[in-house]
Amino acid sequence: MMLDENAARQRAQELRTLLHRHNYLYYVLDQPEITDAEYDRLVRELQQIEQKYPQLVVSDSPTQRVGGTALSGFTSVTHQVPMLSLSNAYNAEELRDFHRRVLQVAGSQPVEYVVELKIDGLAVSLEYTDGVLVRGATRGDGTVGEDITSNLRTLLSVPLRLQQPLTLVARGEAYMPKAAFLRLNQEREEAGLPVFANPRNAAAGSLRQLDPKVAASRGLQIFLYGLATVQTERPMTHDASLRLMQDAGLPVNRQRVLFTDIEQLIDYCLSWHALRHDLPFEIDGLVIKVNDLSLHERLGTTAKSPRWAVAYKFPAEQVRTKLLAIEITVGRTGTLNPTALLQPVTIAGSVVSRASLHNADLIAEKDIRVGDTVIVQKAGDVIPEVVGPVVELRTGEEQPFQMTDQCPECGSDAIRYPGEVAWRCPNVSCPALLRESLIHFASRDAMDIEGLGPAMVTALLSAGLVHNVADLYYLSQDQLQQLERVGAKTAENLVQAIAVSKQNSVERLIFGLGIRFVGAKGAESLAKHYRSLPALMQANESSLLSVPDVGGKVAESIISYFGAEANQQLIEKLSTAGVNMSYIGVETAEDLLGGKAFVITGTLPTMSRDDAGKLIE
Ligand code: IVH
């Protein structure tokens, strides 16, 4: 049927309204009124009209989800209300502890909680102005995230326009349903591409693609679980915020229950251990939130997480599989780590083929033998570990494990320090040690050098281009380009990333040096206390012991590290390269403002008192 332009405009408008409504019925209310095929027919009809009359296309049309061109990079977005994370509770007792902490502030009034599913995906923020989606961003470090609007627009459950012209910022989780994940990995396997370990990685990887067509093809979805700001009268309860969002057309998970009795709440949490497997998406726990928003204000937040909410994390999942072999790898500090090579199995949604065996003593104690059927467990983000053998399933063919007495990388005789369980390679120039120390130096919590992962480190070492971490700062693009499979662009990016890392605040360097017993947190305390690496190098034991988080073992290790001539030369070389040696980290709000009270007086023309409070926090 041929329509003239006026009739076409009218029909296009009708179709858009219909499609918005069916989207809402499907994704928000979960009550579709038409079949997928009927929905597709309506989309096609709208596409045909828009093709014929391109002037009728509007940006929030359901046909305009996938933008035309790929981006060259993501821009940064500063979150007006920070995106915090949650503290965890791992069992009933920790949930009772949380409840007790809440009661200390709530006093004698009964406290109502909302229990929601903890969706395992990627935290995102959606911003609507007058009902129109204007921005979608990742959480990033909580304060600054990345603008991924063009990717989030491709999610059919993200409304491009709300049911009402509201201005709000909503927070939620973008995720990949289990079925979409299995399909994606199957396709990737057939195409010879590496598979994703779990739906969360797949969702995050998809949303970080510069070409929105990729995200559009991955079947991602979203649930919103919080309202950061809204320019209407603020709801009184969390549950009312969720209803407000749902009425506005945002998909909110309907699996949420109110409790005032903590024991009933705990029973409910436990009941999800089994139920979780029946959901079409993965959850890694439940989130318990105080319902009364005025109580949120009184409870406040710590630097990282609100005191009015807690995540109940499910216990570690265990599975059985075959232990095929035990491999010895050399750790950063020279430890010889036995690692189990397993028949691949899926645990907690990811495929596991290696697991930690900790140390030789434990293997002997648990009597783990090569060829055994073993129990493997995985809790949260931690590396999977072997719990023990299933002795009843032994055939007699199993081989007891014999710990090596030589470093598998350099052949040095392994040694064991008194009081330590680990065997070590004593060779300070062992290639494995150097490799691990370079990987650690470049890692995210250390110097955070993008593009310098295990494969690149191995390539640099085999080409003889680096012999210590300082050598990284003397690499040229030309040298890098000579490596196999390193093109001009990769080389340029790496040189750039290395150069950028020179500006890091010194705690990253202190951590990156890999001084024994100095973790990321200890490095930060040391940096804040001494303000520079040269000052730290001069510190004596009694001075070091006055630093928070530094005990005798740590102080001794620091003194011995900086006492070594080779390490002094290394730092000299880093300094000559222009690597920053001072503390320039921002003091966190907690450092500067912790414990201070703020009073807001007078009228606030541009925001609510709640929002102002959040901004100060
Ligand atoms: S509330 C300020 N509710 O879990 C509180 N978070 O470790 C913000 N998550 O980064 C979180 N489902 O991405 C909340 N129903 C839910 C959630 C949820 C998943 C994620 C969220 C956050 C992480 C917390």
Side-chain angles (χ1 to χ4, degrees):
M1 182 178 46
M2 264 306 180
L3 297 174
D4 68 23
E5 186 173 342
N6 266 337
R9 174 175 294 114
Q10 201 178 349
R11 179 63 184 154
Q13 186 53 43
E14 256 167 45
L15 286 167
R16 273 184 219 121
T17 309
L18 270 174
L19 287 167
H20 275 311
R21 189 175 118 74
H22 288 303
N23 248 349
Y24 175 69
L25 288 169
Y26 187 90
Y27 287 106
V28 181
L29 301 185
D30 199 14
Q31 284 166 351
E33 286 177 1
I34 59 173
T35 64
D36 290 359
E38 282 166 326
Y39 182 88
D40 289 343
R41 247 199 316 279
L42 294 175
V43 173
R44 267 199 309 276
E45 188 187 344
L46 180 58
Q47 275 167 342
Q48 278 161 5
I49 296 177
E50 288 179 344
Q51 232 161 40
K52 181 137 197 292
Y53 300 105
Q55 65 275 29
L56 297 182
V57 177
V58 290
S59 70
D60 65 342
S61 168
T63 58
Q64 301 300 303
R65 287 191 174 267
V66 188
T69 46
L71 306 172
S72 56
F74 297 116
T75 53
S76 301
V77 176
T78 302
H79 301 300
Q80 291 306 319
V81 175
M83 290 181 76
L84 299 177
S85 90
L86 292 168
S87 57
N88 295 322
Y90 293 98
N91 51 47
E93 206 35 52
E94 291 179 8
L95 285 171
R96 289 187 196 104
D97 289 342
F98 165 73
H99 179 54
R100 271 192 285 273
R101 290 194 297 273
V102 170
L103 285 185
Q104 274 170 9
V105 174
S108 55
Q109 81 185 93
V111 179
E112 192 173 43
Y113 296 104
V114 183
V115 182
E116 299 168 10
L117 302 184
K118 187 168 186 304
I119 319 287
D120 203 7
L122 184 78
V124 298
S125 184
L126 293 182
E127 225 177 295
Y128 288 85
T129 302
D130 300 326
V132 177
L133 175 69
V134 291
R135 192 147 63 181
T138 62
R139 174 172 183 270
D141 64 5
T143 310
V144 179
E146 284 178 323
D147 187 327
I148 54 163
T149 314
S150 41
N151 281 337
L152 285 171
R153 280 177 66 93
T154 70
L155 275 61
L156 294 174
S157 48
V158 168
L160 301 177
R161 180 183 283 277
L162 298 177
Q163 303 282 319
Q164 298 120 28
L166 290 171
T167 294
L168 57 81
V169 176
R171 300 281 159 76
E173 197 86 351
Y175 65 94
M176 186 175 286
K178 288 176 189 169
F181 170 72
L182 293 176
R183 203 178 327 119
L184 174 65
N185 266 357
Q186 198 178 345
E187 278 166 21
R188 290 177 70 87
E189 214 165 316
E190 280 161 15
L193 295 168
V195 294
F196 287 105
N198 52 50
R200 172 165 32 94
N201 289 1
S206 307
L207 286 170
R208 294 214 68 258
Q209 295 286 327
L210 293 170
D211 184 352
K213 285 193 198 70
V214 179
S217 71
R218 298 260 170 104
L220 299 169
Q221 296 203 22
I222 197 168
F223 280 126
L224 284 310
Y225 53 64
L227 198 53
T229 61
V230 62
Q231 280 183 2
T232 56
E233 201 173 332
R234 231 192 128 74
M236 306 283 284
T237 62
H238 175 65
D239 192 46
S241 309
L242 295 178
R243 255 181 288 125
L244 183 152
M245 289 196 290
Q246 191 167 320
D247 292 344
L250 291 163
V252 175
N253 188 269
R254 266 136 19 109
Q255 220 34 270
R256 53 178 197 267
V257 185
L258 291 170
F259 287 97
T260 42
D261 182 313
I262 187 72
E263 295 306 321
Q264 281 176 9
L265 183 152
I266 289 169
D267 285 347
Y268 177 75
C269 290
L270 300 182
S271 73
W272 273 99
H273 288 190
L275 290 175
R276 60 189 291 205
H277 300 293
D278 300 335
L279 289 168
F281 47 83
E282 288 207 344
I283 59 174
D284 56 338
L286 296 152
V287 186
I288 295 97
K289 301 176 181 173
V290 167
N291 196 21
D292 177 356
L293 294 184
S294 66
L295 191 48
H296 285 204
E297 276 182 52
R298 284 165 56 208
L299 283 157
T301 71
T302 69
K304 289 207 186 100
S305 49
R307 291 197 189 86
W308 43 261
V310 71
Y312 170 70
K313 291 290 200 80
F314 294 132
E317 270 196 67
Q318 298 193 333
V319 297
R320 289 176 175 197
T321 188
K322 261 242 159 13
L323 174 61
L324 303 175
I326 296 178
E327 185 186 79
I328 307 294
T329 56
V330 186
R332 176 163 61 85
T333 55
T335 50
L336 303 185
N337 305 324
T339 304
L341 303 186
L342 305 165
Q343 189 137 38
V345 268
T346 305
I347 320 179
S350 54
V351 179
V352 169
S353 57
R354 301 169 71 88
S356 170
L357 283 164
H358 302 292
N359 57 61
D361 282 3
L362 266 180
I363 299 175
E365 207 173 283
K366 294 179 176 170
D367 186 23
I368 296 170
R369 305 181 188 178
V370 174
D372 264 336
T373 297
V374 288
I375 296 171
V376 181
Q377 78 172 17
K378 187 165 174 245
D381 289 335
V382 301
I383 309 163
E385 59 174 358
V386 175
V387 181
V390 187
V391 179
E392 316 84 85
L393 293 181
R394 284 206 172 135
T395 61
E397 302 279 293
E398 298 75 13
Q399 295 296 316
F401 171 66
Q402 191 56 50
M403 183 63 186
T404 168
D405 49 11
Q406 285 180 338
C407 170
E409 293 264 351
C410 71
S412 304
D413 284 343
I415 54 158
R416 198 172 182 179
Y417 291 110
E420 284 197 355
V421 284
W423 285 87
R424 290 176 184 279
C425 169
N427 174 9
V428 286
S429 346
C430 172
L433 234 78
L434 180 56
R435 185 183 63 234
E436 295 305 312
S437 62
L438 283 160
I439 293 170
H440 169 74
F441 185 80
S443 67
R444 204 170 164 157
D445 288 339
M447 295 301 268
D448 194 17
I449 303 173
E450 208 177 312
L452 190 54
M456 181 61 85
V457 165
T458 306
L460 289 171
L461 288 171
S462 359
L465 290 179
V466 292
H467 302 97
N468 54 53
V469 295
D471 286 344
L472 293 172
Y473 293 95
Y474 296 85
L475 288 169
S476 69
Q477 190 178 329
D478 277 354
Q479 284 176 311
L480 290 175
Q481 254 170 266
Q482 282 156 26
L483 299 172
E484 227 174 281
R485 282 198 303 239
V486 174
K489 192 72 200 153
T490 310
E492 187 189 335
N493 288 347
L494 184 54
V495 169
Q496 176 68 13
I498 293 172
V500 167
S501 77
K502 289 183 191 174
Q503 313 301 330
N504 285 340
S505 184
V506 75
E507 63 276 17
R508 286 182 173 275
L509 177 60
I510 297 172
F511 176 55
L513 289 173
I515 306 166
R516 274 184 84 196
F517 308 123
V518 177
K521 194 156 173 266
E524 191 165 346
S525 302
L526 291 164
K528 280 184 183 161
H529 186 88
Y530 291 105
R531 320 301 292 187
S532 80
L533 192 56
L536 170 63
M537 291 171 78
Q538 301 302 320
N540 61 22
E541 188 175 349
S542 67
S543 158
L544 284 166
L545 289 174
S546 71
V547 181
D549 305 319
V550 174
K553 209 169 63 166
V554 184
E556 195 183 315
S557 164
I558 293 171
I559 290 171
S560 119
Y561 182 90
F562 291 118
E565 175 86 29
N567 293 333
Q568 292 168 11
Q569 280 168 6
L570 182 77
I571 286 154
E572 185 62 40
K573 194 165 174 190
L574 285 165
S575 173
T576 310
V579 176
N580 169 56
M581 301 271 150
S582 314
Y583 182 69
I584 43 176
V586 265
E587 307 276 343
T588 62
E590 188 88 347
D591 294 331
L592 293 170
L593 305 172
K596 290 207 167 48
F598 285 78
V599 182
I600 309 169
T601 62
T603 50
L604 300 172
T606 58
M607 66 180 84
S608 73
R609 227 155 257 283
D610 255 19
D611 291 345
K614 287 219 169 101
L615 215 58
I616 292 171
E617 271 167 28

